[in-house]
Amino acid sequence: MNVLIKQVLNRIFPAVLILLALLFLIPGFIFSQNPVPLFKDDNFTDPLRGPVLFDHDQHELMYDCSRCHHLYDNQGNLLEGMASIDLRCSDCHTVEGQDDILPLRRAYHLQCKGCHLDEGQGPFACSECHIR
């Protein structure tokens, strides 16, 4: 093989390999973003707003489960440190509310927005949580 051809191939071949690698790797990086988790409660048959952007895993790392998944005894006393992780909010809170149990929408707003206000961080406005 001609010396000139060898020199050209030695310079072009690595560049072609790098270019091919980039062509295969870049789309993977661009399209590999984790989807934003949505929280939607099917108890709201005609919701005023869309589902809520909510990353459960992120919250789970920062807070004890009982902070959100609270549990009460039969007399209505909060059981400190006990979590209702096997229950949905709607298992206790109905859309309309009953007796001294908050309606479901109010319970969500007090729990989520109340915590954000207490912590002084997080979304506060409706459109910052609810998507259209």
Side-chain angles (χ1 to χ4, degrees):
M1 198 187 299
N2 189 340
V3 175
L4 181 60
I5 293 174
K6 279 186 179 182
Q7 288 177 343
V8 169
L9 287 177
N10 284 339
R11 289 185 184 155
I12 292 176
F13 189 70
V16 169
L17 282 180
I18 291 171
L19 182 61
L20 286 173
L22 288 175
L23 287 174
F24 285 104
L25 293 176
I26 288 176
F29 288 118
I30 292 172
F31 297 110
S32 70
Q33 296 176 357
N34 291 335
V36 176
L38 294 178
F39 179 79
K40 181 179 183 287
D41 192 316
D42 294 329
N43 289 287
F44 299 112
T45 55
D46 192 19
L48 301 174
R49 295 194 173 267
V52 172
L53 299 170
F54 179 71
D55 190 340
H56 186 268
D57 293 338
Q58 178 188 10
H59 285 79
E60 189 176 34
L61 292 173
M62 299 183 328
Y63 303 105
D64 183 73
C65 295
S66 64
R67 175 121 186 213
C68 297
H69 297 276
H70 50 259
L71 195 59
Y72 293 88
D73 65 14
N74 292 337
Q75 288 75 39
N77 300 313
L78 179 65
L79 298 172
E80 294 287 337
M82 299 291 292
S84 61
I85 55 175
D86 55 339
L87 298 175
R88 294 173 46 104
C89 297
S90 58
D91 288 340
C92 296
H93 298 272
T94 62
V95 173
E96 300 83 21
Q98 61 188 34
D99 301 327
D100 59 347
I101 299 176
L102 292 173
L104 188 56
R105 181 175 286 114
R106 179 119 172 92
Y108 280 132
H109 285 131
L110 282 176
Q111 188 70 16
C112 301
K113 192 173 179 181
C115 185
H116 289 182
L117 290 169
D118 289 346
E119 294 289 324
Q121 61 182 342
F124 302 106
C126 302
S127 62
E128 292 176 307
C129 292
H130 293 273
I131 61 168
R132 293 181 185 200

